[in-house]
Amino acid sequence: MYEHHSTDLSVTWLGQTMPGCLYNASGVWCREESELEAVRQSAAAVISKSATLAPREGNPEPRYCQTPLGSINSMGLPNRGFAYYLDYARRYDYLCGKPLFLSLSGMTLEDNCEMLRVLSEQGLPAIPEVNLSCPNVPGKPQLGYDFAATAAALDAFDRAYSGLYGVKLPPYFDPAHFSAMADILNRHPRLAFVTCINSIGNGLVVDVESESVAIKPKDGLGGLGGDYVLPTALANVREFHRLLPGKEVVGCGGVKSGREAFMHILAGARAVQVGTCLYHEGPAAFARIAAELAQLMRDKGYRSLDDFRGKLRVL
Ligand code: SIN
């Protein structure tokens, strides 16, 4: 399915080889076990919805809106609770060759550490991606924009968890912030990857006809995904790829065809997540995007992702 006439989309990282480079962005198609299994069938890896210790209903609806350029959401971390995803991870078929990532988004640092401790004790092959960047819980700022708090959190994660892990970062917009965050991340050898980017937080979509906002929570403020975010996502992938030697970057943001997946990998992404497009198209998106990426690679004479990963030219 992932071998496209001598074009190889497989990815080797974190000590394993996955059969392709595409999987879901956390939050999309991953709250229920049926959704997670549908992703497992059609993507190269699986990541679960960001878990809190206790289940959450999330924010009031409407909390997601599709727009011509992408999406705005303020879901508010609706999820089945950590125990549900832990149970799924216990039963997951790791032999299928598709890694399982567990997204964690505790309401407190101690909650995150508690979930990490449990995962460590269980010794499961599932890999945590700690979400430092949810913009949608009213009154709770994105941790990744507080550098001191992020540094303290990573120290605590290192004590709580003994394996390799990753973090989901918010988008940064200034070289000073890229390098300040990279300095912090580089102090943590077991931090194996960063996923760039979460949505661009607290955008506002306005409907001219109704003279209204598009979603209910936070008086309409929400995280942007889709076309709006592609250049910002690529900037974050390229900058962290340069600034985090020995760590991997997972690209996330604005991928809707093989072309954007190619751009992320060219900018340095090891693997690529699909969010808004998956929400609108469903898991069939993975095979379509993979086929488009393989065709683009054939057109350019590339046989594997290593042939062009991180080789974006500058002028
Ligand atoms: C949400 O559930 O509000 C989305 C989570 C996120 O953007 O991190």
Side-chain angles (χ1 to χ4, degrees):
M1 178 180 180
Y2 294 96
E3 286 272 343
H4 293 269
H5 310 291
S6 81
T7 305
D8 179 9
L9 301 188
S10 70
V11 171
T12 300
W13 65 318
L14 303 170
Q16 51 192 309
T17 298
M18 56 192 222
C21 60
L22 302 172
Y23 60 112
N24 62 312
S26 178
V28 185
W29 221 277
C30 60
R31 208 183 321 161
E32 303 296 327
E33 178 162 348
S34 56
E35 297 173 312
L36 290 158
E37 280 297 290
V39 170
R40 188 174 70 79
Q41 302 288 342
S42 41
V46 182
I47 186 165
S48 54
K49 172 67 185 170
S50 290
T52 47
L53 264 182
R56 280 173 62 88
E57 291 293 328
N59 291 338
E61 296 183 351
R63 57 192 184 180
Y64 182 98
C65 180
Q66 181 174 358
T67 74
L69 291 177
S71 62
I72 183 168
N73 90 83
S74 183
M75 304 300 288
L77 296 173
N79 77 94
R80 295 283 220 134
F82 176 62
Y84 181 89
Y85 303 105
L86 180 65
D87 180 55
Y88 178 70
R90 283 204 193 98
R91 292 180 288 105
Y92 187 79
D93 175 18
Y94 296 96
L95 294 177
C96 74
K98 301 179 176 184
L100 172 64
F101 298 87
L102 291 182
S103 175
L104 307 178
S105 194
M107 299 306 285
T108 64
L109 174 57
E110 184 41 39
D111 285 2
N112 273 331
C113 290
E114 172 68 18
M115 293 187 277
L116 287 169
R117 267 194 298 274
V118 171
L119 281 178
S120 224
E121 283 160 16
Q122 305 260 325
L124 294 169
I127 302 159
E129 179 189 275
V130 187
N131 184 353
L132 303 183
S133 45
C134 175
N136 301 331
V137 178
K140 219 174 157 295
Q142 292 160 87
L143 194 73
Y145 287 143
D146 182 334
F147 295 110
T150 297
L154 293 173
D155 287 341
F157 298 163
D158 278 354
R159 289 190 294 273
Y161 190 71
S162 57
L164 300 178
Y165 66 98
V167 290
K168 175 93 166 263
L169 295 175
Y172 299 96
F173 302 94
D174 192 286
H177 294 159
F178 289 129
S179 69
M181 183 50 63
D183 285 348
I184 293 165
L185 299 167
N186 277 325
R187 284 185 225 137
H188 299 272
R190 281 188 288 104
L191 176 69
F193 67 93
V194 296
T195 302
C196 298
I197 57 175
N198 207 321
S199 59
I200 296 183
N202 298 296
L204 187 65
V205 167
V206 171
D207 181 64
V208 168
E209 275 63 51
S210 61
E211 302 179 16
S212 168
V213 301
I215 55 174
K216 183 173 173 65
K218 293 176 74 172
D219 289 344
L221 296 184
L224 303 177
D227 295 354
Y228 298 114
V229 313
L230 177 66
T232 299
L234 293 171
N236 279 259
V237 169
R238 206 276 300 270
E239 293 306 301
F240 282 112
H241 175 67
R242 280 176 165 175
L243 290 165
L244 301 176
K247 300 191 190 300
E248 305 287 0
V249 180
V250 178
C252 180
V255 175
K256 63 179 181 185
S257 76
R259 295 182 70 79
E260 297 81 29
F262 183 89
M263 291 179 206
H264 272 271
I265 296 162
L266 194 63
R270 177 64 56 180
V272 175
Q273 297 179 347
V274 185
T276 295
C277 170
L278 172 62
Y279 192 105
H280 298 151
E281 188 175 336
F286 294 115
R288 176 183 61 77
I289 296 170
E292 292 166 355
L293 174 59
Q295 183 61 53
L296 185 56
M297 287 168 60
R298 273 195 300 280
D299 293 347
K300 288 173 171 284
Y302 294 136
R303 299 196 57 171
S304 78
L305 304 179
D306 290 340
D307 290 347
F308 63 96
R309 179 181 292 105
K311 294 186 178 165
L312 178 64
R313 293 197 192 114
V314 293
L315 305 178

